[in-house]
Amino acid sequence: MTKATNETKKSKSKEEFVHSVFESIAPKYDLMNSILSFRRHKAWRKFTMKKMNVQPGQTAIDLCCGTCDWTISLAQASGSGQMVGLDFSQNMLDYGAEKIKQLHLEQQIQLIRGNAMSLPYDDNTFDYATIGFALRNVPDLEQVIREMQRVVKPGGLVVSLELSKPTWQPFKSIYYFYFQRVLPFLGRLIVKKYEQYKWLPDSLVQFPDHKQLAAIFKKQGLESVQAYPLTGGVAALHVGTKGKTKSGV
């Protein structure tokens, strides 16, 4: 068996496992997000939206949109621009659709079940491509970044808000203890899901820190890359601009 075949099988296995995780935790996803982020995820998203500075009528695709909180924020900031929320978990999309319906945003937001590594859109379609708390879960993060860059217009932004790795001791030790020991226990206690929440901290082990991820953004050809560590490095915002001379990737 070739190395390429092994890598393909490994990616497929990860994709299938991640899909099963998110299908199963969808009902308590929002609650566990608050626990996972020390209730900071809303503040992080507010900071991100300020940096993005979405203008009236602008458009975006929100990859791995989950239950659509960020998709909704983008739609509200744009006011009239068309938004796409894409996820491979139908359960997640169903919960997001209910929120969208309650806010009467059905005409502005389209939800698509799809794969972040192969987006069903033409080059240069959106003003923004975003991904929140999901880049560490994809089989090939560089492919996802390439796809995000491909579908945004020249001058458009590729934006990732993701959990990251604290660098300051002793906070780093406390964080990893919480993330690796306490969080899976809370998952079992609150939503009766231990293995799924044991996997989430494991998913961060091989994930690049904020400086390494910024370097990957630059490697893919994004310009003016900015990285913002948040809450002592627990999370990080990355923003890159697609070059205005690029018609595609």
Side-chain angles (χ1 to χ4, degrees):
M1 188 176 291
T2 67
K3 182 178 179 181
T5 303
N6 278 329
E7 288 300 316
T8 300
K9 287 186 70 176
K10 187 185 295 183
S11 293
K12 191 65 176 176
S13 176
K14 177 177 180 178
E15 186 174 348
E16 289 170 350
F17 180 72
V18 172
H19 180 265
S20 70
V21 167
F22 284 94
E23 284 283 276
S24 68
I25 67 176
K28 298 291 185 179
Y29 178 76
D30 291 340
L31 171 63
M32 290 305 294
N33 252 4
S34 293
I35 294 171
L36 182 67
S37 68
F38 306 96
R39 297 188 179 277
R40 295 296 298 162
H41 65 107
K42 292 183 180 180
W44 296 338
R45 190 166 62 249
K46 184 177 180 180
F47 175 83
T48 299
M49 291 296 295
K50 183 177 180 181
K51 290 296 181 183
M52 291 174 66
N53 191 28
V54 178
Q55 297 299 301
Q58 288 187 314
T59 61
I61 181 169
D62 185 22
L63 277 61
C64 308
C65 63
T67 57
C68 301
D69 282 351
W70 197 356
T71 322
I72 289 168
S73 293
L74 290 164
Q76 292 172 331
S78 171
S80 59
Q82 290 299 302
M83 302 293 153
V84 172
L86 180 141
D87 203 287
F88 67 169
S89 168
Q90 189 60 51
N91 282 353
M92 287 287 192
L93 292 172
D94 290 344
Y95 278 91
E98 187 58 33
K99 293 181 184 178
I100 291 166
K101 182 179 179 181
Q102 291 174 2
L103 293 167
H104 308 292
L105 292 171
E106 303 99 313
Q107 299 304 310
Q108 193 182 353
I109 299 175
Q110 179 185 20
L111 297 183
I112 298 290
R113 186 178 181 187
N115 189 335
M117 299 203 301
S118 181
L119 301 177
Y121 292 94
D122 293 336
D123 297 358
N124 311 317
T125 299
F126 303 97
D127 295 299
Y128 301 91
T130 63
I131 186 167
F133 307 110
L135 196 56
R136 73 189 185 284
N137 299 330
V138 301
D140 185 342
L141 68 88
E142 293 193 29
Q143 173 61 19
V144 171
I145 294 169
R146 282 192 291 271
E147 278 291 274
M148 294 173 76
Q149 183 177 190
R150 179 182 67 78
V151 300
V152 296
K153 301 171 185 176
L157 298 185
V158 172
V159 184
S160 168
L161 177 59
E162 182 58 89
L163 295 177
S164 192
K165 299 175 179 179
T167 56
W168 177 67
Q169 292 284 14
F171 178 64
K172 182 177 180 180
S173 297
I174 296 170
Y175 171 76
Y176 276 109
F177 176 79
Y178 169 82
F179 210 38
Q180 295 173 341
R181 301 292 181 86
V182 178
L183 178 64
F185 172 76
L186 291 174
R188 177 165 57 190
L189 183 69
I190 297 170
V191 295
K192 310 297 188 264
K193 303 288 184 184
Y194 177 78
E195 288 300 325
Q196 288 85 342
Y197 282 96
K198 181 180 182 301
W199 172 80
L200 285 174
D202 291 345
S203 71
L204 193 58
V205 172
Q206 300 301 323
F207 192 72
D209 63 27
H210 73 274
K211 292 181 180 179
Q212 293 168 330
L213 187 55
I216 292 171
F217 267 51
K218 293 174 184 176
K219 176 185 172 184
Q220 298 309 318
L222 289 163
E223 301 175 359
S224 305
V225 175
Q226 298 291 322
Y228 303 91
L230 304 170
T231 314
V234 167
L237 167 65
H238 289 78
V239 182
T241 303
K242 181 173 178 174
K244 291 192 175 182
T245 59
K246 283 196 173 186
S247 59
V249 178

